[in-house]
Amino acid sequence: LEKGFEKIDELLSWCAENEMYLILDMHGAPGGQGKNASISDYDPALPSLWESEENKEKLIALWIKLADRYKESLWIGGFDMINEPNWAFGGSKNPNGCDCQNNDDIWDLHERIIKAIRTVDQNHIVYISGNCWGGNYNSFDKHSLKNTDANMTITFHKYWNNL
């Protein structure tokens, strides 16, 4: 759908005029990347991003299209590939994955998206989010950041405090 790209183009033009970077942020991945529909387009009657290979392939294809379209843009500050995933993997008791000990599914999909983006754009930063709205990075440490991508960073989201 060209309309969505036209909106990004308008925003990017405004950013360039004002010398501001635009980070493309996938807040609503195909099928939804989290249980809360208000920020992820999740519909419990349909397979989520994590329950559907087709949804993962759609997300990868969209990132290739975005990366290819904006690969030359100086004012794109990078790609936040899956914003704030929150999903109970591997027997997690918390529906949003806050107690999840193994977030390999998130890491693995990030790796697939990075490889796809790098087929068309080697320049822009890629951002990785952990589970529990970007606050749970359990099991990420067993993966080698160095071998994934040299132009990558991990985001951190913090919305509450129990102190």
Side-chain angles (χ1 to χ4, degrees), residues 11 22 24 35 38 47 62 74 80 97 108-109 112 116-117 124:
L11 180 57
L22 173 64
L24 299 180
K35 296 282 184 175
S38 62
L62 179 55
L74 299 175
D80 188 349
D108 293 344
L109 185 54
R112 289 174 62 188
I117 287 172
H124 287 100

Side-chain angles (χ1 to χ4, degrees), residues 37-91:
S38 62
I39 66 165
S40 75
D41 297 339
Y42 174 62
D43 180 346
L46 300 171
S48 75
L49 175 66
W50 309 111
E51 299 165 318
S52 166
E53 183 59 30
E54 183 179 346
N55 284 339
K56 291 174 186 174
E57 292 295 328
K58 286 179 187 176
L59 178 60
I60 292 166
L62 179 55
W63 272 119
I64 291 171
K65 185 117 176 143
L66 287 162
D68 190 45
R69 186 176 182 115
Y70 300 108
K71 66 186 173 196
E72 301 297 327
S73 176
L74 299 175
W75 294 106
I76 290 289
F79 309 126
D80 188 349
M81 298 175 293
I82 309 171
N83 184 73
E84 298 185 336
N86 55 92
W87 199 262
F89 296 106

